[in-house]
Structure formats: C-alpha cells, structure tokens
Amino acid sequence: MPALTDGRLAVVLHSHMPYVEGYGTWPFGEEWLWEAMTSSYLPLVDLLGEGAALTLSLTPVLCDQLEAQGIPERFRTFLTEMRRTTHALDAEGSRASGRGDLADEIERAAGDYERALEHYDSIGGDLVGALAPHAAWTSSATHAVLPLLATTPGVRLQLRAGIDAHRERFGSWGGGFWLPECAHAPWLDALLEEAGVHACCVDLTDVLGRGDPRHLCPLRTAAGPLLVPVDRQIVELVWHDEGYPSQGAYRDYHHHTTHHHKPWANDGSVYDRGRALDRARADARDFVERVRERVAGGGLCVCALDTELLGHWWYEGMDWLRFVVEEAGDLLVHLDGALPDAAPAPADLPVTTWGTPRDLSTWSGPAVADIAFAVRNAELRVLAQGRAVGTRALRELLALQASDWAFLASREAAGPYARERHRGHLEALEAALAEGGDGPVHNLVPHISRAPLLAP
C-alpha cells in the first residue's frame, strides 16, 4: 500500500509536438505549432510563473522547434496576418448572413491571438527561456517508441541525444524522463539507469486493473529507475469521450466556420465565455474532490496530461487547470518532490503503453506495420555503417523514428500527411547514406553524438 499516508496529487504535463516546423500546409503541419504556442504554451508560462506546483516535461523535439531560426518572425506573421484576416473574414460573413451573435463571438476570440502576440513579445520571443525555470523532465530525442527500436545502440542514441539536449539547454536535470507514449519494456530499465533516469511514468491500467490502489504507489525496477503509474481513473475525468471537455457549455472543437474558427458551444448554442468559465470552475472542484476521495487512504495520484490538450484541443483547459491549482492547495505537489516519501513496490511487468489495448499495436499493428518495419530496417542500415555514418544520416534516422508518424497514420488523424512525412524522412535518409556528409536537417536535434551507435 502507498507510503504517503496523507495522499498527494501530481499533475504531469507532457509537452510535445511532432516535428512540423517548416513542413505542411493547413490544416496539417506547422500551424499545429502556432496554435499550441498561442493557446497552450504561452498561458502555461503565466500559470507556472505564479508558482503552480506542476511537473513539466518538455520533449527535445518541441524545444528544437521553438528555438528554430525564423520561428519568432513566422509566428508573429501567423498572429498578425493570418489570424487577424481570417477572423475578420468570418465575422463579416456571419454578419452578412444575419448571424451577428456568431460574429460577436468570432471577434471576441480574435482577442486571444492579440493577447498571445503581446505575451510573446513581452518574453522576447523566447518561449523555451520562459519555460526553462520549470523544465524538470525530458524525453528521448524525437519521441521514439523505445521498445520498438531495433538495437541497444539505437535506444542509447535516442536517450543520450534527448538528455544531452536538456542539460545543454537548461543546465541541469534531475533524472525525470517521459517515456514516449508511456511505452515501457523491462529490458529498457538497465539502459534508462545507465542514462541517469531516476523516474518515468507508465500506464498499468490493464495490468493492475482500473482503480486499483496499487496505481498510487511507484514501482522499483531491479535496474534502479522508479516506474510511476499514471492513475487513469483520474486522468479520464479529463481525457475521455465523456470527460469534462464534453460538457455542453465548453467550446465545440469539431464544428467550425469557413476559416476554421469555432463560435459554438458543445450544446449547439453560441459560445458564452462566462458560462464556460463557470463550468470550468465547477469541474475543477469536482476533480479535486474526486482526487481527495481517491487518496483518502494515502498514496500518490499521478494525473498525466498532454499539455496541448489544455488550450489547444480543450479551449478552456488552461482555465480549468488554473482553477484546479487554486482548489487543490497543498494536495498538489511536484512529482519529483513527492517520490522520496513513497515506498516503492517491486516491479514485475509486461510491455505496456498508454495505447489501446496498452500494447505496442498502435505503432506496429497491421495498419502501420510497413512503417514499423521500415524504421527498424533503417536503424540497422545506419548501424551497419559504423564510424562512416554522417550526422545528417543520424538526424534523419531520429526524425524517422518519431512515434508521431505511425500514431497519426494508425488513427487516420491527419489524412496523408503522416505517411508523406514518413516517406520524406526515409528518402532523405537514403540520400544521406548514399552521399555521406554532415549537412543539417532543418533545426532538428542539433545536440547529437554518434558515440551510442559505435558501441556494440
């Protein structure tokens, strides 16, 4: 049973964006980054700056994009030209069709982008720098599903490139590591320990059973790292088809105007910002009450959420989180600070992920088996080159290994975009292997060492 007798809540925010900088056109590609910056990352800067005890994980591939050359200029152009124009066009069209109520809401929502511009300029266009004081956890270089990699050196490359990038950017690292897709296999533990990982999150819902009190207690692996179960019973109060974001008062994500603005609520009415904030405050109270019930007998409840869910996908998500912080008080703790007080149980686990059905099939099943095999084959081909392999080839391999392409293809979530990106990186890798050399690949993974691929 849990050793934290008074019970605690840790909210872990996993911040990640596929490598879309410089790629794609609406509705897929670089615009995802701009929208997440506007509605998720910039509001989070304020919340963390106010002292919220949230555990922040930043993936290296996200930081690479936020720091990429030309990002501030293109983001400002998106805010001042594209969004100003599209809001104005949709408001004009709504009024012309007799829907002044929709036009009013579209114009109100345009203010979100104006405020984002002011905020961005106030931090000198340096989002990574603004998040740096709170950047506790890192991840692998390009969010690869580590159990699906073909070789131990390949895993080491992903781990070392990601961890080295974090240390170089932020100066220190306490050993917190987000396993991409919560994908864990027992054979990874020794490699994680070797890399300096002290703790990572896992999804054991189908191993322990939903609601089992063992989800409130970290597990100690034989190799050393702590595995911290994510409490899906609590997570799904938010991240579920019937979770809080489905409430009628919240903004409808799925229905939109000609230029992709969203002036409706889930119940079909015109969106009412005040009504939605009242709902968010009530749902925050409900969330904290349910967590208190969950940990009444002690233990550590870990609610892990993708940062981009809050704001980008769930428009009121950051407001809800702010209300949770206010409501939770001392119940809310930083995960790293709570772990020393927990008495870990021994770990004896199968391969697990957060995917359905908690295995690797989302990233390797029949729908995407060609992607999975192509990525493994590419890793073996790069490894076979040994010391002759160039930095360009390593970077393209890392880009190819990102979990995002198989995930988006498996879920059919982005049309042909994911497979186009997969093919593009595969072709670029072929060219790099054929031509040699160390040319750059956009701004991806500038912090890279070849050493892991030179060892057996």
Side-chain angles (χ1 to χ4, degrees):
M1 291 297 292
L4 286 166
T5 57
D6 51 354
R8 287 291 184 266
L9 164 68
V11 175
V12 178
L13 298 179
H14 171 52
S15 310
H16 172 66
M17 181 64 59
Y19 189 74
V20 296
E21 184 268 323
Y23 285 95
T25 57
W26 186 91
F28 309 119
E30 193 171 58
E31 187 167 318
W32 289 344
L33 183 63
W34 308 144
E35 290 291 354
M37 290 168 68
T38 299
S39 54
S40 299
Y41 306 146
L42 283 167
L44 181 60
V45 167
D46 281 344
L47 187 54
L48 290 168
E50 294 165 9
L54 304 169
T55 306
L56 179 63
S57 167
L58 295 172
T59 64
V61 72
L62 171 61
C63 294
D64 285 347
Q65 295 178 85
L66 295 176
E67 291 181 329
Q69 185 177 4
I71 282 290
E73 293 77 17
R74 296 208 302 282
F75 181 50
R76 290 187 181 100
T77 298
F78 170 78
L79 296 174
T80 59
E81 296 183 13
M82 178 174 288
R83 280 298 173 243
R84 282 178 184 170
T85 300
T86 58
H87 279 92
L89 287 171
D90 279 350
E92 180 182 359
S94 294
R95 283 207 167 85
S97 65
R99 293 302 305 268
D101 51 351
L102 292 179
D104 288 344
E105 168 52 25
I106 292 167
E107 290 171 344
R108 183 208 65 80
D112 295 342
Y113 296 87
E114 299 299 331
R115 286 185 290 275
L117 177 61
E118 293 175 5
H119 193 178
Y120 193 63
D121 285 342
S122 75
I123 60 174
D126 184 8
L127 247 176
V128 172
L131 292 170
H134 317 285
W137 282 39
T138 189
S139 188
S140 64
T142 58
H143 211 257
V145 179
L146 298 180
L148 284 177
L149 298 187
T151 67
T152 294
V155 174
R156 286 190 174 121
L157 177 63
Q158 280 281 347
L159 291 174
R160 183 178 296 183
I163 292 168
D164 285 353
H166 185 92
R167 284 186 167 131
E168 184 169 336
R169 282 191 176 101
F170 304 118
S172 63
W173 174 59
F177 187 88
W178 184 267
L179 286 170
E181 316 297 2
C182 288
H184 174 263
W187 64 266
L188 290 173
D189 293 335
L191 296 174
L192 293 170
E193 176 69 16
E194 173 188 281
V197 174
H198 300 316
C200 48
C201 290
V202 290
D203 189 329
L204 305 181
T205 307
D206 291 356
V207 176
L208 303 178
R210 188 181 304 269
D212 192 290
R214 288 176 292 176
H215 289 292
L216 306 178
C217 179
L219 304 176
R220 171 72 70 185
T221 63
L226 285 176
L227 303 179
V228 187
V230 171
D231 192 359
R232 189 158 288 274
Q233 177 173 305
I234 294 300
V235 170
E236 288 187 352
L237 294 173
V238 183
W239 203 312
H240 190 274
D241 289 345
E242 298 177 1
Y244 298 134
S246 68
Q247 299 274 9
Y250 291 132
R251 193 164 85 171
D252 183 351
Y253 178 82
H254 300 286
H255 296 90
H256 49 80
T257 60
T258 301
H259 296 95
H260 219 73
H261 300 303
K262 305 173 182 70
W264 294 280
N266 285 329
D267 62 8
S269 64
V270 177
Y271 181 73
D272 183 328
R273 178 68 172 155
R275 174 185 175 224
L277 289 178
D278 288 342
R279 182 71 261 168
R281 190 177 294 278
D283 286 338
R285 284 196 298 269
D286 179 74
F287 177 83
V288 173
E289 288 172 5
R290 289 174 184 252
V291 171
R292 291 191 188 279
E293 293 173 2
R294 179 78 168 122
V295 298
L300 176 63
C301 173
V302 176
C303 179
L305 300 169
D306 284 0
T307 303
E308 300 75 23
L309 169 68
L310 307 177
H312 187 192
W313 303 109
W314 178 19
Y315 180 62
E316 303 82 4
M318 279 295 167
D319 302 301
W320 170 84
L321 183 59
R322 180 181 294 277
F323 297 145
V324 166
V325 171
E326 294 172 359
E327 192 75 24
D330 292 342
L331 176 70
L332 181 65
V333 295
H334 195 285
L335 180 55
D336 292 325
L339 289 177
D341 295 327
D348 181 16
L349 301 172
V351 174
T352 54
T353 72
W354 70 262
T356 303
R358 317 290 180 210
D359 60 14
L360 296 169
S361 58
T362 297
W363 302 273
S364 65
V368 290
D370 59 324
I371 292 178
F373 279 109
V375 172
R376 290 172 65 86
N377 180 60
E379 180 184 338
L380 292 170
R381 291 186 62 206
V382 170
L383 184 65
Q385 295 233 349
R387 296 182 181 275
V389 69
T391 303
R392 179 185 171 204
L394 292 179
R395 288 179 173 173
E396 288 293 0
L397 173 64
L398 291 171
L400 189 65
Q401 289 174 331
S403 70
D404 309 292
W405 319 132
F407 172 78
L408 291 170
S410 179
R411 295 298 181 92
E412 299 181 343
Y417 177 76
R419 286 190 172 276
E420 290 172 357
R421 290 298 307 280
H422 166 75
R423 284 195 300 271
H425 289 300
L426 188 59
E427 290 168 1
L429 174 60
E430 296 287 350
L433 291 175
E435 299 168 8
D438 286 339
V441 179
H442 291 272
N443 301 284
L444 178 66
V445 200
H447 316 268
I448 189 169
S449 167
R450 289 186 289 175
L453 282 173
L454 305 182

